[in-house]
Amino acid sequence: MSSHANNQKVVALQWSLNHTVDDCLKISRDLMRAATSDDVQGLALDVVGRFGTTLAICSETQNKVETALRQMRSNRWLGVLKAHVGFSAGDSCDALLSSSGGLRFLALAATFMTGDHFEAAQATHSMITECSSRNQLLPTVGQLHALFKVLEHKLATLGFTDLVMKWHLRLRDGSHALPSAQSSATADTLQSRFPYVVEAATNYPNAATMTALISALREVWRLGEGSKLEIRAGISTPWLIAFIDWCVGASPKVLLKDGTVLLDDSLERSKIELWAFTEANEVEIRVYARIDGLSRLWRTSGNPNADKWAGMVSLQHFAKRFIFTSNLDSGLGKRAMCQALVYSTFALASRIAVLHDREEKSRDRLDEKHGLLRSRTNSTLQHFSRHISLVLYEYLDLDTMESCRLRRLEEGQLLEDLSAVKAYIQSIEAECDCARCGDQATSIDSCSVHEFQYSISAITAQIVALSLFDCTEPVKLYFRGARYNYDAPVGIALIAKAGKILFPESQFRKFLFAGTLDIPEAQLQQGMAVSASDLFELALALVGHEIPTADIMHGGWIASAKKGQVIYPRILEIQHLDPRGLLLLDGGPGTLYHDKERYELVKGAGLRKSMRSDGVEPPADQLHDQPVSCSQNFLTDEKLEWLVSPTKTCLTLGCRIIGDSVQFNPFVILDTAAQSLFVSRCPHDPTATFEKADREAYYIVRSEHRRKSHPDKIPVLAVHRNEDMRFLAFGWGDPAVVSLGACLQCCLDICRSSERYKFVIC
């Protein structure tokens, strides 16, 4: 039997209640168990499952959705948080998977993940009301809204948004293949304007239009071969093509308003035509039935949603879209971008705090004196550069890894001096009619050179931020729908710093996006370092976890679970200081469960940076006021303790020495460690005792016990090989020189040569 015939048998205008008593009791138990675990209404689960039997969803999509959802069983235990990362068995999604109607509803619900959950609830309520029997008990819009929220972590990454993006990009790529039957002038105009018409088509239908569309697909399936569905799509064209592909299993015949066939994949199951990019923005739906010839059965129309579709997409789709909207997808622009990025990503990475040499002149002198190896900068940056090269390879979709090998600009060389970059800037300057290119810069004109500089800065920042992710499964990125130059960018601190580093004389930060990138010059010095907060802000925003910058800076973020992915710093798992893994982000698909409750956010608890100590006199029983002669550990018994507390809206996480009253914020520890200097090795024996004790240094056992009475002496935290205490040493927010195998004398010399580092950790 054909797939179409199978679908016809299950589609009805009202759902069937032909269940045995035993079946009803079994379903009720499953639904009630799932509803209780997810805190949703059992009525909502029952009704949407029955409503699903009326939906025209092809078997291919049903199989795809079922296979993907049944594979979502992985769980990872995160001991620090006493939490599971992943999925819970027997939840609402599993309950709906147990029936054919529930599976069809999940397939429909996956398409709603591209928009607002409340609008999805409104559309679903309208559809259910339309096909339910009179006086039937139905869930409210609020109850359906709650259901969509609990389904998101499984449905958001099923791939429908990727399908919309695929059709969006295919339509844009197909502009060069437009039929040439039209007059040459018309064809040239169409080919030149068409990519921008496609680019603007990022809306999706509103609730009323979705209700009509579902009804139309149901009618076409019910009537069979004697029917025809015609859709005039307007600015919702890519979304509607993807929706039909998702529901039917093949794309419709796509025509332009003059009858030009743009796409024809020979859809055989039903006759569906979609007229793309019609002048009227409203979506018009017509269903025809063959009764002694072709005649119209009914017609309806509705407006597209004012918002733009958004959702989780692959890195390849995200990058391809961003590069196209930057006009860098072909020709000289593409060559300039590829040439610039192998230099720009290295330039930005070398300014990351944990990789950046702030005291190069002092280090040069120390190198001569001690033969110190720049192992911390060289080996760690090299390790991080390999991560960046892999992301660059995927982002640009290049043929070989060799072309992604990062390179350093020569002394005094700028990006604009690179051959392809220089040629491209000259070409766009010649065509740009803005006041800047006429040497009369204003804040009003749009400048092509400014837009190019922003694009390179933004792509560079994105690639470096994405290189932080080191998850077992590739992360999905959050596409926001709007073209970037109509919407303020996210992660502005890192993009602004990248712009200052890469284009130090450019004014694009002041002119673009109403000056939102124009961070005060004091924060954008050319020799500045990039902080962990800068990196994490953009990295989290790229995966749809938008955390306010101030919250990140002050330790208000430790982990988050949104849009089907959980993200947290790798340091929560390894719990020791390694500069190579200090900034890495880990996580996985699913959500975060602590004590069987779901949480979307984990905040840091404990001392914030604003509470940092300027040094206090230590208690007499913790005073070790003898000259420093070797690495020591005076805290052999103290251990690290993690403190997890649930609140109404989130989890909180702090840490402390067992039995101590002072609690530290884990993010402050991470951020401070990222600003510290880790010295991996030197030519000397790291365990050797000084020939002569250093009387200009003294031991401490707590980092806040730096004595005000000895401001010129160097405190040495005596916690040698005690990883717990070395970890907590950064809790007050003061960067230090950390020995990771170098001798103590070399670390002391480095600390003395810099005003930045407050003490030495041996």
Side-chain angles (χ1 to χ4, degrees):
M1 185 179 292
S2 69
S3 180
H4 174 58
N6 284 333
N7 280 314
Q8 274 190 282
K9 292 185 71 175
V10 297
V11 174
L13 291 179
Q14 295 181 0
W15 55 73
S16 172
L17 299 179
N18 296 326
H19 296 283
T20 65
V21 173
D22 289 340
D23 286 341
C24 287
L25 289 173
K26 180 178 183 298
I27 291 174
S28 295
R29 278 192 224 102
D30 291 342
L31 290 180
M32 289 305 297
R33 187 183 301 114
T36 302
S37 69
D38 284 340
D39 196 21
V40 297
Q41 292 294 321
L43 175 64
L45 284 173
D46 184 46
V47 169
V48 297
R50 297 175 188 274
F51 161 66
T53 62
T54 72
L55 297 173
I57 305 291
C58 69
S59 58
E60 291 92 335
T61 296
Q62 291 183 57
N63 292 337
K64 176 182 177 180
V65 170
E66 182 176 17
T67 300
L69 291 177
R70 292 197 184 281
Q71 289 176 348
M72 292 182 180
R73 294 289 183 267
S74 63
N75 275 290
R76 174 187 296 186
W77 175 251
L78 190 55
V80 167
L81 288 172
K82 301 179 178 65
H84 286 284
V85 173
F87 306 95
S88 175
D91 62 4
S92 298
C93 194
D94 284 352
L96 290 171
L97 270 178
S98 64
S99 67
S100 174
L103 175 58
R104 288 167 180 250
F105 172 75
L106 289 172
L108 174 66
T111 69
F112 287 140
M113 293 298 115
T114 56
D116 179 74
H117 291 339
F118 186 75
E119 292 178 353
Q122 288 179 311
T124 304
H125 188 269
S126 177
M127 296 175 198
I128 290 173
T129 302
E130 182 182 76
C131 63
S132 64
S133 58
R134 191 174 182 180
N135 297 325
Q136 184 164 349
L137 187 61
L138 299 178
T140 65
V141 173
Q143 291 167 347
L144 292 171
H145 183 209
L147 177 60
F148 276 107
K149 288 174 67 176
V150 302
L151 293 177
E152 182 191 41
H153 75 288
K154 284 190 173 181
L155 302 185
T157 57
L158 280 185
F160 178 72
T161 315
D162 262 319
L163 185 63
V164 180
M165 182 68 82
K166 185 195 85 169
W167 282 109
H168 189 93
L169 294 171
R170 182 174 174 184
L171 287 170
R172 190 263 300 169
D173 290 342
S175 61
H176 66 276
L178 290 172
S180 57
Q182 308 166 69
S183 68
S184 177
T186 304
D188 290 344
T189 301
L190 183 60
Q191 289 185 358
S192 63
R193 290 183 57 252
F194 192 74
Y196 303 99
V197 174
V198 176
E199 185 181 334
T202 55
N203 295 73
Y204 62 95
N206 62 14
T209 306
M210 281 301 302
T211 302
L213 181 60
I214 291 295
S215 296
L217 287 172
R218 185 188 296 118
E219 281 298 312
V220 168
W221 249 240
R222 188 175 65 86
L223 296 171
E225 296 299 329
S227 64
K228 176 184 175 183
L229 172 60
E230 185 179 290
I231 303 171
R232 298 185 180 273
I235 58 176
S236 300
T237 293
W239 194 96
L240 286 167
I241 295 175
F243 184 79
I244 292 169
D245 191 355
W246 182 264
C247 293
V248 178
S251 64
K253 182 178 182 179
V254 182
L255 305 95
L256 298 179
K257 61 182 181 180
D258 61 355
T260 300
V261 178
L262 186 61
L263 294 171
D264 188 357
D265 286 348
S266 302
L267 180 58
E268 298 175 354
R269 301 175 195 177
S270 62
K271 191 67 174 177
I272 301 179
E273 291 184 353
L274 188 143
W275 294 73
F277 313 114
T278 49
E279 290 183 353
N281 283 336
E282 69 176 10
V283 179
E284 185 176 311
I285 301 169
R286 300 176 182 179
V287 177
Y288 296 87
R290 187 181 300 278
I291 304 174
D292 297 328
L294 197 63
S295 61
R296 190 169 68 196
L297 183 62
W298 58 268
R299 170 184 177 276
T300 187
S301 62
N303 294 320
N305 199 295
D307 295 326
K308 300 180 183 298
W309 57 266
M312 309 306 291
V313 298
S314 66
L315 170 60
Q316 290 74 17
H317 277 153
F318 181 92
K320 193 172 184 180
R321 163 75 181 179
F322 195 92
I323 289 171
F324 168 70
T325 57
S326 302
N327 296 317
L328 298 174
D329 57 326
S330 62
L332 182 58
K334 184 175 182 178
R335 293 200 300 274
M337 174 187 65
C338 292
Q339 184 183 48
L341 289 176
V342 295
Y343 291 93
S344 64
T345 49
F346 184 89
L348 183 59
S350 63
R351 299 300 182 91
I352 295 174
V354 75
L355 309 175
H356 179 44
D357 266 330
R358 303 177 188 83
E359 314 291 344
E360 290 198 29
K361 292 182 180 179
S362 299
R363 289 293 299 276
D364 288 340
R365 291 195 298 270
L366 290 168
D367 286 354
E368 295 175 5
K369 180 179 178 181
H370 295 288
L372 258 177
L373 301 178
R374 294 170 181 262
S375 58
R376 194 272 313 187
T377 298
N378 291 339
S379 63
T380 308
L381 181 56
Q382 185 179 18
H383 176 83
F384 199 66
S385 295
R386 287 195 289 270
H387 281 253
I388 295 174
S389 293
L390 289 171
V391 176
L392 184 62
Y393 173 74
E394 295 182 18
Y395 197 103
L396 298 181
D397 195 21
L398 297 176
D399 296 328
T400 64
M401 278 295 297
E402 177 59 28
S403 56
C404 299
R405 186 171 58 85
L406 305 192
R407 295 174 173 83
R408 186 194 297 267
L409 289 168
E410 296 178 4
E411 186 70 28
Q413 187 181 25
L414 299 175
L415 278 184
E416 293 101 323
D417 299 329
L418 300 173
S419 57
V421 176
K422 184 176 182 179
Y424 182 67
I425 289 178
Q426 289 175 345
S427 70
I428 59 178
E429 274 183 331
E431 297 179 1
C432 183
D433 56 3
C434 76
R436 173 219 172 261
C437 293
D439 297 325
Q440 297 178 1
T442 71
S443 60
I444 300 174
D445 297 330
S446 175
C447 174
S448 298
V449 177
H450 282 166
E451 291 180 357
F452 171 72
Q453 292 169 338
Y454 164 74
S455 297
I456 295 299
S457 300
I459 295 173
T460 299
Q462 288 172 7
I463 290 172
V464 171
L466 289 171
S467 67
L468 304 183
F469 290 103
D470 191 27
C471 306
T472 54
E473 297 185 30
V475 293
K476 290 272 191 175
L477 306 187
Y478 184 61
F479 175 71
R480 286 167 174 76
R483 184 185 178 187
Y484 75 86
N485 57 357
Y486 294 126
D487 193 15
V490 295
I492 60 173
L494 186 59
I495 296 174
K497 288 185 176 181
K500 181 65 176 178
I501 292 167
L502 303 177
F503 305 100
E505 303 301 323
S506 175
Q507 296 295 307
F508 81 81
R509 294 175 291 105
K510 180 178 180 180
F511 293 150
L512 295 184
F513 309 109
T516 55
L517 290 171
D518 194 23
I519 293 175
E521 195 67 23
Q523 301 177 30
L524 293 174
Q525 298 304 314
Q526 192 168 352
M528 73 210 154
V530 173
S531 70
S533 300
D534 298 331
L535 291 164
F536 287 176
E537 179 196 8
L538 180 55
L540 291 170
L542 286 171
V543 294
H545 297 208
E546 294 190 31
I547 310 295
T549 306
D551 286 358
I552 297 177
M553 290 180 63
H554 297 294
W557 174 84
I558 297 295
S560 47
K562 296 183 180 182
K563 303 189 185 305
Q565 295 179 132
V566 182
I567 304 296
Y568 54 85
R570 169 70 59 80
I571 200 171
L572 292 187
E573 286 194 324
I574 60 177
Q575 298 180 43
H576 68 270
L577 302 172
D578 180 355
R580 291 176 300 176
L582 201 58
L583 295 176
L584 293 182
L585 293 171
D586 208 335
T591 191
L592 190 70
Y593 295 92
H594 172 80
D595 197 20
K596 299 182 180 180
E597 295 287 339
R598 273 191 203 183
Y599 291 92
E600 289 190 351
L601 182 63
V602 182
K603 291 186 175 183
L607 296 175
R608 299 191 302 273
K609 277 190 175 181
S610 58
M611 302 175 182
R612 68 171 56 182
S613 169
D614 291 326
V616 297
E617 291 295 322
D621 63 343
Q622 294 187 2
L623 182 62
H624 299 274
D625 198 11
Q626 70 260 35
V628 172
S629 58
C630 63
S631 295
Q632 299 271 13
N633 179 16
F634 295 147
L635 297 177
T636 56
D637 298 327
E638 280 75 0
K639 300 296 181 184
L640 170 67
E641 178 183 28
W642 294 94
L643 305 171
V644 184
S645 300
T647 70
K648 185 177 181 180
T649 57
C650 67
L651 284 177
T652 64
L653 178 68
C655 54
R656 67 181 180 185
I657 298 173
I658 294 177
D660 198 282
S661 60
V662 179
Q663 186 177 171
F664 297 105
N665 189 311
F667 188 85
V668 172
I669 292 175
L670 187 156
D671 194 31
T672 307
Q675 298 176 53
S676 298
L677 182 65
F678 293 81
V679 187
S680 299
R681 59 187 185 272
C682 72
H684 314 122
D685 181 0
T687 62
T689 301
F690 296 3
E691 292 182 5
K692 183 178 179 181
D694 191 336
R695 296 186 177 278
E696 298 303 314
Y698 61 97
Y699 292 112
I700 57 175
V701 294
R702 298 281 292 269
S703 60
E704 69 270 28
H705 290 170
R706 301 188 310 277
R707 305 185 67 183
K708 292 182 178 180
S709 58
H710 294 82
D712 298 327
K713 292 187 177 183
I714 303 297
V716 175
L717 187 65
V719 290
H720 184 56
R721 294 183 178 175
N722 188 332
E723 291 299 331
D724 283 0
M725 294 304 98
R726 286 159 68 92
F727 184 84
L728 290 173
F730 299 105
W732 289 97
D734 295 314
V737 176
V738 187
S739 171
L740 287 182
C743 76
L744 184 55
Q745 184 63 67
C746 288
C747 293
L748 282 167
D749 285 344
I750 292 173
C751 193
R752 286 193 177 97
S753 69
S754 169
E755 296 181 357
R756 178 175 183 81
Y757 307 112
K758 306 298 184 183
F759 61 105
V760 172
I761 302 176
C762 66

